[in-house]
Amino acid sequence: GTNAGSAYVFERQVDGTWLETAKLTAGDAAGYQFFGEHVSLHAEVAVVGCPYDDEIATHAGCAYVFARQVDGSWQQAAKLLPDDGAAADWFGLSGDVHDGVVMIGAPYDDGVGLESGSVYVFDEQLDGSWIQTGKLIAADQWSDDQFGWSVSLNGEFALIGAPFDDDVGLDSGSAYIFALQDGGAWTQASKHTASDGDAYDRFGISVDLQSGAGVIGAHLDNDGGTDAGSAYILAQEAGGYWQG
């Protein structure tokens, strides 16, 4: 359907070239759902965001899990929906998957204020199903922060952007580290803002997290010219602390 969306899979060949091997669409695809607004891949699992899905309510959003089969094909394994989804939450605008855990951002969720945002946690079960096991919000977030606009997950840490947070100026932005606890819960470990942050930089508009390092985008930072943009590095220190 018009603007239904899709995602394409490319695989690296022995000679180093990349070959398209699959095209993914939702089992219940419909027009104007924007399937593919966000994608994430780890090992044999792919997650595709569909923030305009209307199953719960208009533009409440959803995300789909696809699993790679033995023959190399990809099959839809689950459709993820938040337990408390509501109209215009845009669940599925961001997300990430790693080792049996999926986190999905809903930056327009109104949990602690209008468009304050949230991130939902899903865990894979032994039977291959996916169950919501948590909902993350920042300790100090408020209206219009849009926490969950970006999400990156790696092992026992998650990096979550809130690009409209106002700590060092209107829409200057921030990012949070959440850590996995022994009991399976995720708790906020630290909050980060740019050392030279300014209004409208939107620090946290994009994030990525790998072992011991994180990168946070601020696409409207002006260091190289008006809205030239920049990226900041976080490093994990001894004891699990993060510095940037």
Side-chain angles (χ1 to χ4, degrees), residues 4-197:
S6 62
Y8 295 80
V9 180
F10 290 78
E11 295 191 39
R12 191 171 186 264
Q13 307 302 301
V14 175
D15 63 0
T17 60
W18 289 81
L19 178 67
E20 181 187 324
T21 57
K23 179 178 180 178
L24 309 182
T25 56
D28 58 350
Y32 300 99
Q33 299 299 287
F34 295 93
F35 174 95
E37 181 78 20
H38 164 267
V39 295
S40 180
L41 173 68
H42 185 260
E44 308 298 315
V45 178
V47 176
V48 183
C50 191
Y52 288 84
D53 181 74
D54 300 328
E55 180 168 336
I56 293 177
T58 302
H59 298 170
C62 74
Y64 295 86
V65 178
F66 288 81
R68 192 172 189 267
Q69 306 303 300
V70 175
D71 64 0
S73 64
W74 292 82
Q75 291 186 8
Q76 183 178 316
K79 180 178 182 178
L80 306 182
L81 297 164
D83 290 345
D84 61 350
D89 278 356
W90 284 22
F91 173 93
L93 184 71
S94 64
D96 204 4
V97 56
H98 192 273
D99 289 344
V101 179
V102 168
M103 289 189 179
I104 302 294
Y108 289 95
D109 179 39
D110 300 330
V112 292
L114 185 65
E115 298 180 0
S116 53
S118 62
V119 172
Y120 294 80
V121 183
F122 294 80
D123 286 338
E124 186 177 15
Q125 307 302 299
L126 293 176
D127 63 359
S129 62
W130 292 80
I131 302 297
Q132 182 182 322
T133 56
K135 180 179 180 179
L136 309 183
I137 57 173
D140 64 341
Q141 76 181 76
W142 195 236
S143 298
D144 299 318
D145 281 357
Q146 294 177 29
F147 172 88
W149 187 277
S150 57
V151 177
S152 185
L153 174 65
N154 188 270
E156 59 187 17
F157 292 102
L159 180 58
I160 300 171
F164 297 90
D165 184 28
D166 303 325
D167 275 16
V168 292
L170 185 65
D171 295 348
S172 53
S174 63
Y176 298 81
I177 292 283
F178 278 72
L180 179 63
Q181 306 303 307
D182 290 340
W186 292 81
T187 60
Q188 183 178 319
S190 57
K191 178 179 182 179
H192 303 271
T193 57
S195 57
D196 60 349

